[in-house]
Amino acid sequence: MTTGIHHVTAITRDVQKNVDFYAGFLGLRLVKQTGGYEDAEQLHLFYGDALGSPGSIVTFLVWQDGAPGRAGLGALSEIALAVPVASLGAWLTRAMTAGVPVSGPARELGESVLRLRDPDGIVVKLVGVDAPADAPLAEPNAPTRIHGVTILSEDAQATADFVARFGYGEDRREGPFIRLRSDRDVVDVRASAGFVPAIPGTGQFDHVAFRARDGDAVRRMRLDLRDHDGVTNVHDRKYFLSLYVREPMGTLFEYATDAPGFTVDETPDRLGETLTIPATDAARAAELRVKLPQFARPGEERRPMRDLPFVHRFHTPENPDGSVIVLLHGTGGNEADLMPLAAQLNPRATLLGVRGRSTEEGITRWFRRFDAVTYDQDDIRAEAEAFAGFVEGAISGYGLDPQGMAFLGYSNGANLLGAILRLHPGVVQRAILLRGIEALEDAPEADLKGGDVLLLTGAQDPFGRMAPALEASLKAGGAAVDARVIDAGHELSAEDLRIAADWLASRKQGEAK
């Protein structure tokens, strides 16, 4: 029976820091980057040895700037990577030099261990053990493969008995630990009755996958688990076949084949260089390539991210023309939602997506509301002021050219832009307001000369009756307003794209119409 861990998957909130730690500091190879197979709008990164051999793979789902989870019962709490025994001293020095949180070395379950924390706070143990790599990395001290994982369990024996299905046998007991061993690695089950349950989120593990010899082994396991709650059908993940199941205390396990592996669509010397979109999402591949967060590999030039009042993300095209489109999403959206649309407006524009800070029953917004058409005026003014500060900080912090900036807002985002135009004249000079309406109850008089605004309203939009007041206020301040009513509802249409693209193309950098 093929035994051992195939891969371990966790969740990160910062793709760049994640790449810098696992590919940079630890020296693992980034062997694959894909859109997620469960959700293609999640970037999925795979690290491992030189070929991404089963047993060496650590993967991360990217929830960029996502909410943190909580370690607890029914989840992994640590991953252990094998490193050469004589390298622990060098790793301690390296961690201290790099400012990586580190403790040890210490003896744990008979092994010498350094305990690190990655940028998300995930515990990564480096264990000095003789465990040769299947495909060695160039750095002699680099991790060779996964040595093990630790599971927190309400009933350690029940969890241990379930792990045994995947080719593990009890090796030792020490304190709260039951150590199980395969022919390659270990699973430590820690008895943690009374501890809090885990909460999914960034900085937490998602699952551990065990190795299956082939597809028949996965299908046999599916039959063996047919009466077990939560077992899934067999999934084709392109690089392996697998199924998922939760052990009795809740930890998510996967059972995955070794083949076909990561070289099925990239040659060994080019692994991880191309962003792969799952075949099921091929029709929107272009959209996903814009929405998924970008990153630089260790040593590559990158844009340092500034600490500004709003969560934000850049998308830089291959051949930028120097212009920037700042994006404000609608209710329930996020900083990436409008990027595909903006990329069609100008494929060479750098995109700066921003996330609103107000929430309504967990739904992201730009300002609070009391009902569908009654808005918290104090909150509008506070968020407008904060956004004006954000724009100033982005211009200075990222070296942006104010004359080359355009702002695009949809629905709630357009409403905030409309308010900013009057509350902070000059911050926004060129704006595309899609389904924008008047959100201010007492709009101040403002000098908007030089302002340039496109306002598109849907003829069937139930909120459209509130757009003329915004148009009138902007014009009264002296802004050039191109206001049109199109055959659409509140949703966006192809007509929005066509009109906005033509409007934006007609505006040369630094020129107001």
Side-chain angles (χ1 to χ4, degrees):
M1 179 180 183
T2 300
T3 65
I5 293 170
H6 184 280
H7 67 266
V8 175
T9 294
I11 305 168
T12 180
R13 75 184 311 270
D14 190 318
V15 65
Q16 188 60 66
K17 290 181 179 179
N18 186 265
V19 171
D20 288 344
F21 181 83
Y22 287 91
F25 174 75
L26 286 180
L28 298 175
R29 185 179 184 188
L30 178 61
V31 294
K32 195 66 61 177
Q33 49 173 317
T34 77
Y37 277 78
E38 288 294 326
D39 178 1
E41 294 189 14
Q42 286 184 127
L43 182 64
H44 197 172
L45 302 180
F46 297 75
Y47 305 93
D49 65 14
L51 292 177
S53 306
S56 75
I57 308 161
V58 184
T59 94
F60 281 87
L61 299 169
V62 179
W63 295 8
Q64 193 70 13
D65 292 295
R70 181 180 72 188
L73 297 171
L76 307 184
S77 63
E78 300 176 334
I79 184 174
L81 303 179
V83 296
V85 175
S87 71
L88 287 180
W91 277 110
L92 177 60
T93 300
R94 181 168 180 165
M96 295 175 67
T97 301
V100 172
V102 59
S103 62
R107 295 292 290 180
E108 297 181 8
L109 294 170
E111 299 168 334
S112 295
V113 175
L114 279 180
R115 180 175 269 101
L116 312 175
R117 285 192 180 270
D118 80 357
D120 287 291
I122 289 174
V123 176
V124 179
K125 297 194 299 187
L126 301 182
V127 181
V129 62
D130 182 20
D134 293 323
L137 296 159
E139 168 57 50
N141 288 341
T144 55
R145 64 195 198 202
I146 296 171
H147 178 63
V149 295
T150 301
I151 299 172
L152 302 183
S153 177
E154 181 81 19
D155 185 336
Q157 189 61 58
T159 299
D161 290 344
F162 197 84
V163 171
R165 292 173 174 269
F166 301 95
Y168 285 79
E170 185 173 324
D171 179 66
R172 64 188 295 175
R173 294 184 180 230
E174 184 175 313
F177 292 98
I178 302 175
R179 167 158 284 191
L180 303 156
R181 186 178 294 275
S182 72
D183 58 4
R184 286 179 57 93
D185 51 42
V186 299
V187 172
D188 293 327
V189 182
R190 179 168 184 159
S192 306
F195 193 46
V196 296
I199 297 176
T202 62
Q204 300 302 319
F205 292 96
D206 187 72
H207 66 269
V208 57
F210 298 106
R211 295 175 68 182
R213 182 179 65 252
D214 53 28
D216 287 341
V218 175
R219 285 182 278 270
R220 282 195 298 272
M221 182 67 75
R222 175 68 180 82
L223 291 175
D224 290 344
L225 294 171
R226 60 186 176 275
D227 296 326
H228 190 85
D229 289 341
V231 66
T232 68
N233 292 325
V234 176
H235 298 285
D236 184 352
R237 299 307 196 202
K238 186 175 183 178
Y239 311 109
F240 46 82
L241 293 177
S242 71
L243 62 79
Y244 297 86
V245 65
R246 291 193 181 274
E247 54 90 12
M249 296 297 106
T251 306
L252 183 62
F253 290 172
E254 188 177 9
Y255 192 47
T257 61
D258 284 359
F262 294 122
T263 58
V264 70
D265 57 2
E266 288 180 304
T267 59
D269 61 319
R270 307 298 294 271
L271 285 177
E273 294 185 6
T274 303
L275 173 60
T276 302
I277 302 300
T280 52
D281 291 281
R284 58 186 189 126
E287 170 189 333
L288 291 168
R289 292 182 191 283
V290 175
K291 293 187 73 169
L292 293 173
Q294 294 177 314
F295 60 89
R297 296 169 183 272
E300 292 181 343
E301 184 178 354
R302 77 273 306 276
R303 186 193 304 271
M305 295 303 291
R306 306 304 185 189
D307 185 13
L308 296 175
F310 291 84
V311 170
H312 58 286
R313 182 196 308 178
F314 282 94
H315 174 82
T316 304
E318 291 186 5
N319 185 26
D321 62 7
S323 67
V324 176
I325 305 177
V326 184
L327 308 171
L328 285 73
H329 60 78
T331 297
N334 62 42
E335 62 275 20
D337 275 5
L338 293 173
M339 285 186 172
L341 172 68
Q344 293 182 75
L345 297 182
N346 180 3
R348 295 185 58 196
T350 296
L351 310 179
L352 174 52
V354 192
R355 185 190 303 176
R357 304 189 304 183
S358 292
T359 58
E360 181 178 293
E361 297 180 350
I363 301 299
T364 306
R365 289 179 50 83
W366 288 96
F367 50 82
R368 292 188 296 268
R369 62 182 178 179
F370 301 119
D371 58 43
V373 294
T374 308
Y375 309 119
D376 186 330
Q377 298 299 302
D378 290 339
D379 200 37
I380 292 175
R381 284 168 166 75
E383 292 306 291
E385 183 176 2
F387 194 85
F390 168 84
V391 173
E392 180 182 355
I395 289 171
S396 61
Y398 296 118
L400 306 181
D401 177 9
Q403 299 303 314
M405 296 174 69
F407 293 76
L408 185 154
Y410 167 61
S411 188
N412 186 236
N415 299 346
L416 183 70
L417 280 178
I420 291 169
L421 281 161
R422 276 83 52 76
L423 295 171
H424 299 277
V427 171
V428 175
Q429 289 288 335
R430 182 169 296 144
I432 299 172
L433 309 182
L434 305 177
R435 309 302 181 269
I437 61 174
E438 179 61 270
L440 294 174
E441 293 177 0
D442 186 17
E445 294 182 3
D447 182 0
L448 303 181
K449 293 182 178 65
D452 197 9
V453 179
L454 174 65
L455 177 62
L456 296 182
T457 302
Q460 293 83 46
D461 184 354
F463 301 101
R465 59 184 174 80
M466 300 171 68
L470 174 60
E471 176 188 350
S473 178
L474 295 173
K475 287 182 175 178
V481 181
D482 182 351
R484 310 188 200 182
V485 177
I486 64 174
D487 185 17
H490 194 69
E491 74 287 349
L492 297 179
S493 69
E495 189 73 354
D496 289 285
L497 174 61
R498 183 190 66 78
I499 294 172
D502 290 344
W503 185 88
L504 194 61
S506 70
R507 271 65 181 166
K508 295 180 181 178
Q509 184 171 325
E511 178 185 354
K513 295 292 183 181

